[in-house]
Amino acid sequence: SVPPPPAAPPEKPAIECWAVSYPQTVNCTWKLESEPRLETYFISTYRHGMGAKENECVQPGAGASSCSISDIQMFSITPYVLNVTAVNPLGATMNLFPFVVEQIIRPDPPEDLRVSPIPGASKKLLLEWQPPSSWPFPQYFPLKYLIRYAREGANSNRTIGPYEQTSFTLTGIRPRAIHHVQVAAKDFMDYGDYSAWSPLVSGTPWTQP
């Protein structure tokens, strides 16, 4: 059998940061490519600009593998730089992650999607949803939404949008057929990325009683 590799200082942590609650917070997570053989903990700090003072990126517990930055300057072209240091009994390894806040905006998926029949309309479905509750100010920082839907048994889906409102009437769909619907959100100004798709919700158009 192959002997296990010798214990060594930690490898570089791989870092991801996303502004899920723009403009309030940036959340960062990191992991080591392989399972560490020695107990490893992490220290996270950030600077806003090269000469700026170092601030703590607040971890949920000592040594945790995530942190959040709450003191964010909007529309700053000066990058933030996160410094994550992995520490084990044999040494420490650090990695830097530079980012501009607006480029890493990614909302959580929309919530409370409802798919309802419309009385008297056999080829329509009413879709209604809420912005993600983690998005703090939808009235000042609006979101736009994509809708993805598919008929039960069909082998492809359709994506439409983006739309600014939180409801939409699907028209021209097949009567009596079950349709599966999902919604995704993005910052209205097109910064960053779309959210993941919301969980599937299904509905069937109204049928003549």
Side-chain angles (χ1 to χ4, degrees):
S1 66
V2 181
E11 49 193 64
K12 261 190 184 183
I15 304 169
E16 267 198 12
C17 292
W18 295 103
V20 170
S21 303
Y22 181 84
Q24 285 187 336
T25 320
V26 168
N27 296 304
C28 299
T29 59
W30 51 86
K31 59 177 191 286
L32 302 176
E33 289 307 308
S34 45
E35 199 56 41
R37 299 195 44 232
L38 296 170
E39 185 149 334
T40 306
Y41 70 96
F42 300 96
I43 301 164
S44 55
T45 59
Y46 71 93
R47 296 174 193 268
H48 186 202
M50 287 320 289
K53 75 176 176 61
E54 202 164 42
N55 299 290
E56 179 192 6
C57 184
V58 180
Q59 292 161 266
S65 52
S66 64
C67 71
S68 56
I69 300 170
S70 300
D71 178 23
I72 293 171
Q73 278 186 33
M74 295 163 54
F75 305 116
S76 167
I77 56 170
T78 305
Y80 285 78
V81 180
L82 179 72
N83 175 344
V84 176
T85 305
V87 183
N88 75 13
L90 295 180
T93 310
M94 72 170 226
N95 200 5
L96 300 177
F97 185 87
F99 62 88
V100 170
V101 175
E102 280 70 28
Q103 292 173 1
I104 60 162
I105 294 176
R106 186 176 70 185
D108 281 327
E111 297 173 5
D112 300 329
L113 173 60
R114 297 191 300 283
V115 179
S116 315
I118 299 170
S122 63
K123 295 183 177 181
K124 294 181 181 178
L125 281 170
L126 175 63
L127 316 180
E128 300 166 285
W129 60 88
Q130 297 293 326
S133 50
S134 53
W135 189 258
F137 307 115
Q139 64 278 39
Y140 304 122
F141 299 95
L143 295 167
K144 57 185 180 180
Y145 301 96
L146 289 180
I147 297 166
R148 183 165 80 175
Y149 67 98
R151 184 170 41 76
E152 172 89 36
N155 52 13
S156 64
N157 52 47
R158 281 192 66 188
T159 301
I160 54 174
Y163 304 108
E164 292 159 41
Q165 69 277 18
T166 54
S167 62
F168 187 79
T169 302
L170 275 185
T171 59
I173 60 176
R174 183 175 294 190
R176 291 190 168 83
I178 297 172
H179 288 76
H180 306 295
V181 183
Q182 293 171 290
V183 189
K186 190 179 186 185
D187 178 75
F188 175 75
M189 299 295 291
D190 221 31
Y191 292 119
D193 284 1
Y194 269 98
S195 73
W197 290 102
S198 64
L200 272 177
V201 176
S202 304
T204 308
W206 174 86
T207 50
Q208 183 80 42

